[in-house]
Amino acid sequence: MTTSPTDPGTPTPEVPEELRNNVAITPLAKLLDPIYNWSRRNSLWPLGFGLACCAIEMICAASSRYDFARFGMEVFRATPRQADVMIISGTVTKKMVPTIVRLYNQMAEPRYVISMGACASGGGPFKEGYSVVDGIDKFLPVDVYIPGCPPTPQALLNGMIAMQEKIDNQSIASAPWYRKGDPTAEVVPVPVLGPDLVDVRQLDVIKEEAAKVEAEVETAVNA
Ligand code: SF4
């Protein structure tokens, strides 16, 4: 064993003289990453569902004029178990969130979420509406946001390409979904729809705030 000229602390294997011009030594992950990422980035299969007007643009992106099949993204799947991209295309209502989260939980790892349009990213024109969630990222981890109301099919295509570029930079050695304690592999608790939408991860905060209000009311009554 000798040590690496670029990193003196790292031992490198001895290569016989006659093989020196024919052998390239590289970490396994560096060799696998391009192959692994290439296969995943060119077979992004979105889950086939739409939420509102943005979905029409999403459908256009799959049609012959824009044809995102050119990038290997066209196979809309009818089941979350065969899809790896969830495109949130439209207004997310409180009534719909539990279903969206349930579908996300049923997708296999690695899975990605694209937030398409103003509604999905922040509530859009309905932000103040009693029935609308102001951003799907309150519930799911979003990888790419696409601005616009609605974003054009070209914008969606651009967002999908951004998704591919993100995948290109991932490494099999550090991809979270093969690690113990991977936060992205956790099942997202399905929110509860009651008089309002309750995110069960926020139960402690909700209880604290409710106790504060209760104490304030009690003080006001006793005053
Ligand atoms: S962002 Fe605009 S086009 Fe898209 S769902 Fe909302 S209102 Fe419709």
Side-chain angles (χ1 to χ4, degrees), residues 52-54 90-91 117-119 125-126 148-150:
C53 9
C54 276
T91 318
C119 283
F126 312 109
C149 175

Side-chain angles (χ1 to χ4, degrees), residues 79-102:
T79 162
R81 299 182 200 286
Q82 294 172 1
D84 49 12
V85 186
M86 181 176 245
I87 303 175
I88 309 290
S89 55
T91 318
V92 184
T93 58
K94 289 178 180 171
K95 198 172 178 183
M96 197 64 190
V97 168
T99 309
I100 294 174
V101 172
R102 192 172 295 119

Side-chain angles (χ1 to χ4, degrees), residues 33-150:
D33 283 349
I35 302 168
Y36 180 70
N37 290 342
W38 173 82
S39 59
R40 283 190 307 121
R41 55 125 47 215
N42 291 316
S43 59
L44 287 172
W45 290 2
L47 182 59
F49 80 111
L51 294 174
C53 9
C54 276
I56 304 299
E57 305 297 321
M58 181 180 73
I59 294 163
C60 285
S63 69
S64 55
R65 187 178 176 97
Y66 299 100
D67 189 20
F68 72 5
R70 290 174 291 158
F71 302 87
M73 310 160 175
E74 84 288 13
V75 194
F76 276 95
R77 305 312 294 175
T79 162
R81 299 182 200 286
Q82 294 172 1
D84 49 12
V85 186
M86 181 176 245
I87 303 175
I88 309 290
S89 55
T91 318
V92 184
T93 58
K94 289 178 180 171
K95 198 172 178 183
M96 197 64 190
V97 168
T99 309
I100 294 174
V101 172
R102 192 172 295 119
L103 287 170
Y104 174 81
N105 284 335
Q106 289 174 357
M107 286 166 67
E109 291 274 323
R111 56 193 171 191
Y112 306 99
V113 178
I114 292 180
S115 173
M116 180 185 181
C119 283
S121 301
F126 312 109
K127 186 173 166 59
E128 303 298 328
Y130 70 94
S131 59
V132 171
V133 173
D134 56 354
I136 190 63
D137 54 4
K138 298 262 182 342
F139 296 92
L140 298 180
V142 173
D143 295 282
V144 173
Y145 294 86
I146 303 173
C149 175

